[in-house]
Amino acid sequence: MARRERCSGCGINMLVSPEARVVRCSECHTLTNLVPINARPGRTRYNGLPRMHENPYGNSPSPQHPQYPQPQPSLSPVPIYGRKRALLCGVNYHGKSYKLKGSINDVKSMKYLLVETLGFPNDSILMLTENEREPSKIPTKQNIRKALKWLVYGCQPGDSLVFHFSGHGTRQKDYNHDEVDGFDEALCPLDHETEGNIIDDEINDTIVKPLTRGTTLHAIIDACYSGTVLDLPFVCRMNKEGRYAWEDQRNPLFYKRTSGGLAFCFSACDDHQTSADTTAFTGTNVRTGAMTYSFVQAIQNERRLTYGHLLNAMRYTIGDVSKAHGASQEPQLTSSDKFDIYSKPVVL
């Protein structure tokens, strides 16, 4: 007897035979891997993504939630020692009440920018999305963790590293008391319901602390509550006129610096704000993250932007959309070091 399955690309329902293991969507032509009926866990209902998310099951997955595959991949197909290297993660959360529609579009746009405009080799870019065929490239918590380690592994002077994440972000209580506001910022992987989030402390330990002298990391984080999600010590506070001051968030009890390298993070909004997933920029029904769109457009329009001019351009582009949605979204810049944002050019 035929059964219904949801396409992992466009989300429409498809009729497939009981023994089918893979099916191609007739609308978007995406290949969707199917789980045999006798291997499926029970269905559950989840009412939405909480803003203050904590995993009540600790390190053990809850038996009442579906389990995503947890492969043990080798990420060696992308050259380890490259002058330019990028990790792009886009999570749409297909089939969930809190699903997004623009995250995978965002990472495709970012890859185009990196390859066509900024000269990144195709084989130096690792993409994790729900549309990937290889299980090791699905944006589960385990796969994202491995990919973050791959990004900085063996970094050398002259390396330019990029981490782009488009998906849900959240906040949770800070238990080690290293946060000014009492909350850890976090990214939500595909399986966050069972495996939990990836918090800023771990992200800093994984991709900030290993940066050696001469290595530069740029993170572009298109998620809610993402202002300090890399836990970088200096936050650029900018007013509407473009004047700025660096806020020092260093805590003498916690080492949040690099090993001599430089780290910069452009994030979609401040730690207490949300970010928009919108069709406002495309003029069609294609959705994008407002932050990713504004970043890509600014870099494409003017290659030698300074950090200050890039941040202003993004804020100007997003401003009207934020007002239309009745939200407050102000892109943020954080850094491992203080510098003059209007004289230092952005070099990826």
Side-chain angles (χ1 to χ4, degrees):
M1 181 177 180
R3 67 182 194 269
R4 290 185 180 275
E5 294 289 348
R6 186 180 294 275
C7 171
S8 63
C10 63
I12 68 168
N13 287 319
M14 305 176 289
L15 284 176
V16 299
S17 62
E19 65 275 5
R21 297 297 181 94
V22 64
V23 62
R24 183 184 295 275
C25 177
S26 61
E27 296 294 326
C28 69
H29 306 293
T30 296
L31 287 173
T32 299
N33 292 317
L34 307 177
V35 179
I37 292 178
N38 59 6
R40 294 182 173 194
R43 291 179 178 267
T44 61
R45 182 176 180 181
Y46 189 72
N47 291 325
L49 180 69
R51 294 186 176 183
M52 307 291 287
H53 177 80
E54 294 182 35
N55 181 14
Y57 310 107
N59 294 325
S60 301
S62 164
Q64 65 178 331
H65 288 299
Q67 300 298 300
Y68 295 95
Q70 296 295 322
Q72 301 289 332
S74 167
L75 297 177
S76 58
V78 182
I80 290 176
Y81 297 105
R83 299 284 292 185
K84 294 176 180 285
R85 199 184 316 165
L87 167 62
L88 314 179
C89 299
V91 195
N92 273 352
Y93 313 92
H94 291 311
K96 300 295 183 180
S97 60
Y98 49 83
K99 68 182 178 182
L100 300 172
K101 296 182 179 180
S103 296
I104 295 176
N105 294 333
D106 287 344
V107 295
K108 290 178 179 179
S109 296
M110 187 62 67
K111 182 176 182 180
Y112 183 87
L113 174 73
L114 295 177
V115 173
E116 300 298 330
T117 303
L118 300 176
F120 277 65
N122 255 310
D123 62 359
S124 73
I125 298 175
L126 178 61
M127 287 182 62
L128 304 185
T129 76
E130 292 134 287
N131 289 353
E132 300 300 318
R133 297 182 182 181
E134 296 179 34
S136 64
K137 294 183 179 180
I138 302 299
T140 62
K141 183 175 183 177
Q142 179 176 329
N143 286 346
I144 294 175
R145 279 175 159 175
K146 289 185 176 183
L148 289 170
K149 292 176 181 178
W150 163 83
L151 180 65
V152 298
Y153 180 76
C155 57
Q156 297 179 340
D159 283 356
S160 175
L161 312 177
V162 171
F163 171 45
H164 175 227
F165 179 90
S166 179
H168 280 303
T170 189
R171 308 171 82 195
Q172 58 191 54
K173 187 176 180 180
D174 167 32
Y175 289 103
N176 65 350
H177 308 295
D178 66 330
E179 298 284 348
V180 173
D181 60 0
F183 293 98
D184 283 317
E185 286 66 48
L187 303 179
C188 302
L190 179 63
D191 54 354
H192 69 94
E193 290 180 29
T194 57
E195 301 304 314
N197 302 312
I198 303 176
I199 67 170
D200 49 10
D201 295 345
E202 178 180 350
I203 297 170
N204 185 278
D205 285 341
T206 306
I207 63 173
V208 175
K209 287 182 180 177
L211 296 174
T212 55
R213 186 172 300 278
T215 305
T216 303
L217 168 72
H218 286 91
I220 302 100
I221 309 297
D222 200 344
C224 297
Y225 315 110
S226 57
T228 60
V229 75
L230 259 64
D231 259 0
L232 297 176
F234 298 104
V235 180
C236 180
R237 297 301 187 189
M238 179 183 286
N239 64 18
K240 294 180 180 180
E241 288 72 42
R243 289 191 290 271
Y244 74 95
W246 287 104
E247 179 180 300
D248 189 343
Q249 293 196 355
R250 287 177 294 181
N251 186 324
L253 300 179
F254 298 90
Y255 185 84
K256 297 287 186 177
R257 305 297 295 274
T258 70
S259 297
L262 295 173
F264 308 94
C265 180
F266 287 98
S267 50
C269 55
D270 209 342
D271 288 339
H272 63 281
Q273 296 177 331
T274 57
S275 56
D277 184 48
T278 179
T279 61
F281 300 114
T282 62
T284 66
N285 61 352
V286 176
R287 302 187 77 88
T288 63
M291 186 269 182
T292 298
Y293 180 90
S294 64
F295 180 90
V296 170
Q297 288 298 306
I299 295 291
Q300 286 181 333
N301 290 339
E302 188 175 345
R303 288 288 302 278
R304 296 294 291 179
L305 280 172
T306 65
Y307 286 86
H309 290 116
L310 175 55
L311 187 59
N312 273 312
M314 293 167 61
R315 288 187 165 205
Y316 177 81
T317 301
I318 291 176
D320 291 339
V321 174
S322 296
K323 292 177 183 177
H325 285 265
S328 177
Q329 179 181 352
E330 298 174 339
Q332 302 292 308
L333 170 65
T334 57
S335 174
S336 57
D337 296 273
K338 293 188 289 186
F339 61 95
D340 180 0
I341 67 172
Y342 288 113
S343 65
K344 186 178 181 65
V346 180
V347 181
L348 280 75

